[in-house]
Amino acid sequence: MRRAAKVDDNQPEIVKALRKAGATVTPTHAAGDGFPDLAVGYRGFNYFLEVKDGNKPPSARKLTKDQVEWHDKWRGQVAVVKSVDEALEVLGIELRGSVHAGDWQHVADLARKIVEGQK
């Protein structure tokens, strides 16, 4: 009998930040057989994210045997992330300085206006 899938403590925070950044997120941690924890859609692209808790020791963040096998066989994108910043970086969203996950959209809007010559 298969055990219930465990959700890392930081997964809800990562999901919230990704959604706030404009991504669609479907938690897939219960799919089993090594399938990644999150399926993410952003700007026409799909991403698979395996979430590991960066606050745990490295030995507790290792991929399971099933996860290693799935990652090795998968011929598309898959990433292991330990934080909101790492998850956003996979999608091409970089946070710098005092900008936080919830603020990135405002920074992106401002940058677009500057590039377009608007104030």
Side-chain angles (χ1 to χ4, degrees):
M1 180 186 332
R2 189 173 179 282
R3 294 183 323 189
K6 182 183 70 143
V7 175
D8 285 286
D9 290 342
N10 57 338
Q11 183 169 314
E13 175 187 26
I14 289 172
V15 169
K16 182 178 178 181
L18 290 167
R19 288 179 174 155
K20 196 165 192 177
T24 53
V25 182
T26 298
T28 52
H29 59 272
D33 296 326
F35 197 84
D37 294 319
L38 302 174
V40 181
Y42 182 70
R43 295 189 173 182
F45 292 92
N46 298 309
Y47 302 89
F48 289 122
L49 304 180
E50 177 62 43
V51 177
K52 295 295 180 185
D53 191 338
N55 292 322
K56 291 185 177 179
S59 61
R61 289 184 259 152
K62 287 185 176 183
L63 295 174
T64 66
K65 180 183 175 214
D66 284 346
Q67 290 167 341
V68 169
E69 289 176 6
W70 193 94
H71 286 226
D72 287 346
K73 291 177 184 175
W74 187 248
R75 293 189 179 154
Q77 178 282 336
V78 63
V80 178
V81 298
K82 299 179 293 300
S83 67
V84 166
D85 287 356
E86 287 182 4
L88 293 173
E89 187 177 329
V90 169
L91 276 61
I93 304 166
E94 293 185 35
L95 302 177
R96 295 197 174 135
S98 62
V99 178
H100 300 285
D103 300 331
W104 87 267
Q105 184 65 50
H106 304 292
V107 173
D109 290 342
L110 178 60
R112 187 172 54 254
K113 288 178 182 178
I114 291 169
V115 170
E116 294 172 354
Q118 302 174 1
K119 290 188 179 183

